[in-house]
Structures are given as C-alpha cells and as structure tokens.
C-alpha cells in the first residue's frame, strides 16, 4: 500500500496501449514504402527487435533499426509511420490493456489528476488516446515530440513544474519510466504485463503491477 498521490503520470506504449496491435504492421508498411521509393535497401527487423525498441525516442529507434540510413530517410520514415498508424487506428485496430479505461476513470473519480508522459511523437500520443476514447480523462498529454526532450526524466520534470504537482506516481513498463520517477523524486510503479521488456528493466521500482487495475489496490 502506498500513499495516494495528487497525480499519476502514465507511459503510453506497453502501459496503457497494446502497441503491438498496430506497430508491427505499421513498421512493415513503412519499410515496404521506403523500398518502393528507393530510399532503403537494408534488412527489415524482426517483430521482437521492433518490440524491444518500444519506449525509446523515435530517433533512437531508427538509429537501431536503420543504422545506415540518412537523416532524410529517417524523417520520411517518421511521416510514413504516423500515416500508417493513423490509418490502422481509423480502421479500428489497436487495443488498450484490460481494465485501462475503467481504472483511469476510477482514479479520476477519486480526485487524482491524470497525465500521459511518452517518448513518442506528439501526433501519435494524441491520436492513440483519442481513438481509444480516453483522451478526456487526462489533464495533459506530454510527449517528447512536442516538448523536444532528450529523456523521459526531462519530460516528467517539465510536466511536474508546469502543473505544480506536489506528489505523483510515474507508471510505466520501461527502465526510462523508473528512472524518470526516481530522478524526479516521485514514486515509480513498474508495469510487468506487456511481455516485451528486458530482464531487470523494472529494478528500483517502488512497486510492480501485473495488471493495470492493480493500481487501485496500491492506494492506501
């Protein structure tokens, strides 16, 4: 049991949103289009390699998955990824983890202020929350793409300062989320249900949950 916070900050991919329900296909379509446009001729990464990059800044994802591609090619890939993800969402693909919408509503009903803090692009974060029907539950949607932050630590610091949040939990599935909580002196909650985190990634978390609704049981 932990003390009830004034606010909770949620990572998006692997925490609220089952990213693999759209991202694998979006990556495949992006690589196919880049080949069609004669912009990329390298290897296409496997599914697990793609999933292992989730939670990173997009520029770092491309550095890992297309190490020899030019800046222009990576920028084109950004545009294509956003278009394909939007198209997949528009066609009804994409899923939240079990209990996400209901749990967020319950937390909000208890007076807890809700935010998203994601390393994704601004359009992606806003589109996913809108298509999934949860955007109205959040006081703010913070993304590395919008605030041009180099780390999740910086993004969370800006969020806390902008909204004068006295106490908060950072909730996420990657080491960057735990680091963002610890370095901003707030509680860090690790999510262990996405299935594609690395071993030991949640070390240092104040608590670890194996389903999203467990958040409700952590509040004293």
């Amino acid at each position: 049991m932990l003390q009830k916070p004034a606010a909770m900050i949620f990572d998006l991919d692997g925490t609220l949103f089952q990213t693999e329900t759209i991202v694998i296909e979006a990556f495949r379509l992006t690589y196919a289009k880049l080949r069609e446009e004669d912009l990329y001729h390298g290897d296409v990464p496997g599914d697990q390699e793609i999933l292992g990059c989730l939670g990173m800044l997009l520029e770092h994802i491309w550095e890992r998955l297309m190490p020899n591609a030019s800046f222009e090619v990576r920028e084109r890939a950004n545009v294509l990824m956003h278009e394909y993800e939007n198209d997949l969402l528009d066609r009804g693909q994409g899923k939240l983890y079990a209990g996400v919408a209901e749990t967020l509503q319950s937390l909000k009903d208890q007076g807890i202020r809700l935010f998203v803090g994601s390393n994704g692009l601004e359009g992606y974060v806003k589109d996913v929350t809108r298509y999934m029907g949860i955007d109205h539950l959040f006081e703010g949607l913070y993304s590395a793409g919008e605030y041009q932050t180099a780390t999740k630590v910086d993004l969370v610091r800006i969020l806390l300062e902008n909204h004068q949040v006295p106490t908060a939990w950072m909730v996420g599935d990657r080491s960057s989320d735990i680091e963002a909580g610890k370095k901003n002196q707030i509680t860090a909650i690790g999510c262990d249900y996405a299935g594609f985190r690395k071993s030991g990634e949640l070390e240092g978390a104040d608590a670890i949950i194996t389903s999203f609704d467990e958040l409700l049981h952590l509040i004293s």
Side-chain angles (χ1 to χ4, degrees):
M1 301 287 280
L2 299 168
Q3 185 173 0
K4 179 181 174 181
M8 288 191 190
I9 305 164
F10 299 94
D11 176 45
L12 183 62
D13 293 331
T15 300
L16 303 176
F17 184 59
Q18 294 188 46
T19 320
E20 66 273 22
T21 56
I22 65 165
V23 75
I24 298 295
E25 187 172 352
F27 267 104
R28 295 274 168 266
L29 292 168
T30 296
Y31 276 99
K33 187 65 174 177
L34 290 174
R35 287 179 181 277
E36 181 186 316
E37 295 178 351
D38 202 29
L39 294 174
Y40 182 77
H41 306 284
D43 296 331
V44 176
D47 293 357
Q48 289 307 308
E49 192 175 358
I50 291 170
L51 293 175
C53 292
L54 298 182
M56 298 169 60
L57 293 169
L58 196 52
E59 63 184 278
H60 296 157
I61 292 177
W62 294 129
E63 286 173 5
R64 178 178 293 186
L65 299 183
M66 294 194 301
N68 299 317
S70 67
F71 173 79
E72 289 74 21
V73 170
R74 292 175 184 172
E75 285 294 293
R76 176 61 176 153
N78 285 343
V79 172
L80 291 171
M81 276 291 293
H82 190 205
E83 289 177 356
Y84 289 130
E85 286 167 341
N86 248 8
D87 183 57
L88 292 167
L89 288 166
D90 197 42
R91 286 195 270 141
Q93 291 186 226
K95 289 175 61 179
L96 298 173
Y97 287 100
V100 164
E102 299 85 352
T103 301
L104 290 174
Q105 185 65 64
S106 179
L107 293 169
K108 188 176 180 68
D109 289 345
Q110 293 182 49
I112 297 173
R113 302 163 68 187
L114 307 181
F115 299 88
V116 168
S118 169
N119 275 337
L121 294 177
E122 178 184 1
Y124 173 78
V125 172
K126 292 180 177 178
D127 288 341
V128 167
T129 53
R130 176 169 56 86
Y131 274 107
M132 293 298 102
I134 57 173
D135 55 332
H136 66 286
L137 297 171
F138 297 101
E139 186 173 329
L141 302 172
Y142 278 66
S143 63
E146 180 174 3
Y147 287 88
Q148 295 297 298
T149 47
T151 67
K152 182 71 71 78
V153 173
D154 293 337
L155 185 67
V156 170
R157 175 182 52 78
I158 292 169
L159 188 161
L160 294 172
E161 290 174 353
N162 284 354
H163 295 271
Q164 295 296 294
V165 176
T167 59
W169 292 4
M170 177 68 224
V171 183
D173 70 308
R174 306 313 293 257
S175 59
S176 58
D177 299 307
I178 307 306
E179 180 187 32
K182 291 302 180 183
K183 290 192 175 179
N184 283 291
Q185 291 81 52
I186 61 174
T187 299
I189 308 295
C191 299
D192 192 14
Y193 46 77
F196 43 78
R197 69 170 179 83
K198 298 173 185 174
S199 177
E201 190 148 19
L202 300 178
E203 286 183 6
D206 294 293
I208 293 177
I209 58 175
T210 56
S211 65
F212 192 77
D213 60 1
E214 287 181 30
L215 281 173
L216 298 173
H217 306 301
L218 288 180
I219 299 173
S220 59

